[in-house]
Amino acid sequence: MKPLHIILSVIGGAIAGAAVGILLAPEKGEKTRDEISKYLKDKGVKLKESTIDKIAKRIAAEEAIAEMIESKED
């Protein structure tokens, strides 16, 4: 593999791991989304409100899927 592919794979894996970690965190999804939104605002990331809503809805949907999977395993 080329070094660029390895670097991109590591970065992609880190992002995926962080996303799974956030989704499976013990706190409620709403609180997590609020913290993500606050963090982005504190760092100066300016997103349109609709973009923030889309991100929050995507996280909520992924969280619901994770909960469904957990409930089926029990």
Side-chain angles (χ1 to χ4, degrees):
M1 291 181 80
K2 295 182 181 180
L4 180 61
H5 292 284
I6 294 170
I7 292 170
L8 291 176
S9 297
V10 169
I11 292 171
I15 291 171
V20 169
I22 288 172
L23 293 175
L24 299 178
E27 293 185 19
K28 289 192 171 227
E30 184 176 338
K31 183 175 180 183
T32 303
R33 289 189 299 273
D34 289 341
E35 289 177 10
I36 291 170
S37 178
K38 182 180 177 192
Y39 176 81
L40 291 175
K41 288 177 184 177
D42 289 346
K43 294 297 179 183
V45 176
K46 295 180 181 178
L47 300 173
K48 295 179 182 176
E49 190 65 34
S50 62
T51 305
I52 293 173
D53 289 340
K54 287 179 186 177
I55 292 170
K57 286 179 183 177
R58 176 177 277 174
I59 291 171
E62 290 175 2
E63 190 172 79
I65 291 170
E67 289 176 5
M68 287 176 24
I69 291 171
E70 279 184 16
S71 67
K72 286 183 180 181
E73 290 176 355
D74 292 338

